[in-house]
Amino acid sequence: MEAGDISVVHALELRLFPVDAWPLQMFHDELAQTETRRYLVAELHGQIVGYAGLMCIEPVSDVQTMAVVPEQEGRGIGSALLTELIAESRRRRAEDVLLEVRADNPRAQQLYRRFGFEQIHIRPRYYRDGVDALIMRLPLYHESPSHQPREADRP
């Protein structure tokens, strides 16, 4: 996502999340924080049809937002966006990816479960219209030198 995409993304945000839409300035603020944020758009025939964003403050990544226009759902766009957010989380050395999803959005929950996310908690009345949020987590496993036994520690 680039600054020039924000007006289109915000219009989609208002359309897709009328009760919980982010203010326009929030997209500008998020995009400016490149050290801890990564935002993407998905385009089809030159039109933005989806977007997603990630905040990563080691050791945790948090999916801040993710949306696909309804007329393009079921075509792999959400999967492609989520795949890239998870890859970015790995690049940033996150140990877990967290997200909140509406309890009344089984389609999104199913997507996250296919990727290995598990529900770990419920936030009652998280959304402005009173719907609960399911908190989901995807553990990321890293093989790093700090996790390898040292020669002196071996039997």
Side-chain angles (χ1 to χ4, degrees), residues 12-32:
L12 288 176
E13 177 85 357
L14 293 170
R15 174 182 158 205
L16 300 173
F17 305 110
V19 174
D20 292 302
W22 285 8
L24 179 65
Q25 188 59 46
M26 192 160 173
F27 284 101
H28 288 285
D29 294 345
E30 287 290 297
L31 215 57

Side-chain angles (χ1 to χ4, degrees), residues 31-95:
L31 215 57
Q33 298 179 64
T34 57
E35 292 206 8
T36 57
R37 308 296 198 273
R38 173 84 167 132
Y39 280 79
L40 311 166
V41 294
E43 294 182 342
L44 183 65
H45 309 299
Q47 300 288 324
I48 295 174
V49 295
Y51 57 94
L54 181 77
M55 174 180 67
C56 185
I57 300 174
E58 216 177 316
V60 176
S61 278
D62 191 80
V63 175
Q64 300 290 90
T65 187
M66 191 163 126
V68 175
V69 295
E71 49 278 14
Q72 296 300 327
E73 287 180 356
R75 297 187 178 184
I77 295 167
S79 291
L81 289 167
L82 188 55
T83 296
E84 181 52 33
L85 292 182
I86 293 168
E88 182 69 16
S89 296
R90 288 184 193 282
R91 285 190 290 271
R92 292 179 184 240
R93 307 206 39 79
E95 294 175 10

Side-chain angles (χ1 to χ4, degrees), residues 100-101 103 119-126 131-136:
E100 290 95 9
V101 61
Q119 180 183 331
I120 60 168
H121 193 60
I122 295 175
R123 283 203 174 126
R125 298 171 305 284
Y126 179 78
V131 173
D132 295 346
L134 306 181
I135 301 174
M136 301 184 81

